[in-house]
């Protein structure tokens, strides 16, 4: 599948409602499929189950749990079902399934008091598997009642857990975990992945994620406007530009990278090398003149251009005209890595953002010195901003924490408001477009959490924009390959030892993996 849509809890609810009310597929039928699919995944994963504990909540997630209890019993497995709540509080489809279970004489034990909770640990410990069907997409606010205690117990025992739809305690819309959530080894989710399964901190609790079809028709999904997509390998493959044998360097873009300053030439080198390795035609690095000789020795294929500088070795306003001139024969500008924020850098960056008529990628110090966001709205060519949460926090004048718990919404609102492509970095990088489309990246690991990896990403994005890719497509491929190179590289070098220049060395393997 090339595009995988990601849904919020509310969107999934709408899809369910449409399926039931407009299409007339009974909710009990959907629930039966849901329970059956989870049971199949459990049986496929665990071949020798003897004892299973199903923990059910009072909503439809619990209803799925009752079905799983019934189906596992039918397989000859000893199942104990606990309902966190009173039986007489159960309604609708969940009630139908609770009744069936009771008619089959499969006991459902109510857990309603602290004393009941104290009795749970021995059963949890003795089980081969716990099925978490307590809370699904219907969770609201802080965990109430006995849930915090029960979730603690589940996480303390050594028994493996399969979560139904979403680990209890994780919010489907955001991945927010208010105080705790069930730590699952496997999560079987219905129809479409929920955002909260991919976004941190929720993602940590999911274990292996399986998305199963429960018979919701495509039409019900199409009827929802879903603007959040998962970046898949297939999507990266589809977008990767082909290279024609009958081509020359002019076909692959002329890049100008304005980067580096005294003490930070490495940033310029990483950006330039990454852009070349991604296939750029011609790369020029504009750098404060006194450090130009360093770049000349560190870079072989790229050209360098000494720019006017102040006494401290950072850009001087004289660089504005120089860059404008250079850009008259270049296709794309990247500005920011290693520039520093001192002296006249602010004026240089802000002026260039208003003057340059080609696409611009702004990163690092380039982002830190934007003093008026309104100038972004006035640009006609594409602008790609690649902040990490700290830079985003400065741009928006909002605490990092608020950005971290709201990555998708923050990125989307900013991209729409200012008409830019926003690449909000972090585990699960979020790319948002001026029309409000969002792409979430799944590749990558903690090896990327080190100074310099952002410079590599900037090089990749700029390179692909230079190769005439739409800015959003360039960002999608770059972010995906960047993460994939980290995954491949850290297999050999470990997540500790992989450094950004290694990322560039592993880029060819990442490209090979997605090349058709
Ligand atoms: N709607 C449908 O047609 C289908 C829904 N399915 C299941 O239904 C689930 C959603 O069901 P519901 O909307 O009933 O919601 P849930 O079952 O996820 O949760 C609702 C229950 O949790 C309680 N609750 C909510 N927040 C709480 C908190 N913070 N602390 C303590 N208790 C809290 C509510 O009082 C209510 O009893 C999905 O996750 C999925 O598992 C599946 O059966 C497939 C079909
Ligand atoms: K659950």
């Amino acid at each position: 599948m090339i595009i995988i849509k990601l849904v919020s809890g509310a969107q999934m609810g709408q899809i369910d409602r449409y399926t039931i009310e407009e299409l007339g597929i009974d909710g009990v039928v959907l629930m039966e499929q849901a329970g059956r699919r989870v049971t199949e995944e459990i049986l496929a994963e665990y071949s020798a189950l003897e004892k299973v504990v199903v923990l059910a909540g009072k909503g439809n997630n619990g209803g799925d749990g009752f079905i799983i209890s019934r189906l596992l019993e039918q397989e000859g497995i000893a199942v104990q079902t606990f309902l966190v709540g009173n039986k007489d509080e159960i309604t609708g489809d969940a009630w139908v399934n609770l009744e069936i279970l009771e008619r089959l004489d499969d006991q459902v034990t109510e857990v309603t008091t602290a004393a009941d909770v104290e009795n749970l640990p021995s059963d949890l410990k003795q089980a081969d598997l716990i099925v978490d069907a307590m809370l699904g997409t219907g969770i609201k606010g802080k965990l109430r009642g006995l849930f915090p205690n029960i979730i603690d117990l589940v996480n303390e025992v050594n028994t493996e857990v399969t979560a139904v739809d979403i680990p209890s305690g994780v919010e489907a819309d955001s991945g927010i975990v208010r105080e705790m959530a069930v730590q699952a080894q496997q999560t079987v989710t219905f129809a479409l992945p929920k955002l909260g399964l991919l976004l941190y901190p929720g993602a940590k609790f999911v274990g292996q994620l399986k998305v199963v079809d429960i018979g919701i028709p495509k039409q019900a999904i199409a009827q929802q406007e879903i603007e959040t997509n998962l970046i898949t390998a297939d999507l990266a493959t589809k977008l990767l530009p082909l290279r024609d044998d009958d081509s020359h360097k002019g076909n692959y873009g002329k890049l100008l990278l304005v980067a580096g300053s005294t003490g930070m030439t490495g940033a310029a080198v990483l950006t330039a090398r990454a852009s070349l390795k991604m296939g750029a035609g011609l790369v020029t690095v504009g750098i404060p003149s006194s450090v130009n000789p360093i770049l000349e020795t560190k870079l072989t294929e790229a050209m360098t251009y000494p720019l006017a500088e102040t006494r401290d070795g950072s850009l001087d306003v004289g660089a504005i005209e120089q860059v404008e001139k250079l850009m008259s024969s270049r296709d794309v500008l990247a500005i920011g890595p290693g520039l520093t924020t001192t002296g006249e850098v602010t004026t240089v960056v802000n002026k260039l953002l208003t003057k340059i008529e080609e696409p611009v990628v702004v990163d690092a110090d380039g982002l830190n010195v934007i003093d008026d966001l309104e100038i972004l709205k006035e640009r006609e060519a594409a602008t790609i901003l690649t902040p990490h949460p700290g830079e985003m926090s400065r741009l928006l004048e909002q605490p990092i924490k608020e950005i971290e718990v709201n990555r998708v919404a923050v990125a989307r609102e900013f991209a729409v408001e200012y008409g830019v492509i926003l690449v909000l970095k972090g585990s699960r990088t979020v790319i948002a477009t001026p029309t409000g489309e969002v792409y979430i990246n799944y590749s990558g690991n903690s090896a990327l959490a080190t100074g310099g990896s952002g410079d590599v990403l900037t090089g990749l994005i700029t390179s692909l924009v230079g190769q005439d890719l739409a800015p959003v497509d360039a960002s999608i491929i770059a972010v995906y390959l960047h993460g994939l190179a980290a995954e491949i590289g850290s297999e050999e070098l470990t997540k500790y030892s992989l450094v950004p220049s290694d990322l560039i060395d592993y880029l060819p393997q990442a490209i090979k993996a997605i090349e058709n």
Side-chain angles (χ1 to χ4, degrees), residues 12-13 15-17 19-20 26-35 57-64 67 84 89 93 133-148 164-166 171 179 188 190 194 214 216:
M12 196 63 227
I15 293 170
D16 286 339
R17 237 184 315 281
T19 306
I20 295 166
D26 202 315
V28 177
V29 174
L30 288 181
M31 193 177 271
E32 182 72 21
Q33 300 252 48
K58 292 184 291 185
N60 285 332
N61 198 247
D64 302 335
I67 295 170
V84 187
E89 293 172 285
D93 302 338
M134 291 186 283
L135 298 164
T137 54
I139 187 174
K140 287 203 178 63
K142 268 183 71 172
L143 289 172
R144 296 183 303 271
L146 300 172
F147 284 106
V164 177
D165 209 21
I166 188 162
E171 291 191 10
E179 55 238 272
V188 184
F190 305 133
K194 320 296 174 286
I214 60 166
I216 291 178

Side-chain angles (χ1 to χ4, degrees), residues 243-244 246-255 279-283 303 331 466-467:
R243 288 176 81 93
D244 192 341
D246 179 28
S247 59
H248 55 87
K249 63 190 175 201
N251 297 113
Y252 300 115
K254 298 192 185 95
L255 280 51
L282 274 170
V283 177
M303 293 172 286
D331 306 312
Q467 291 169 61

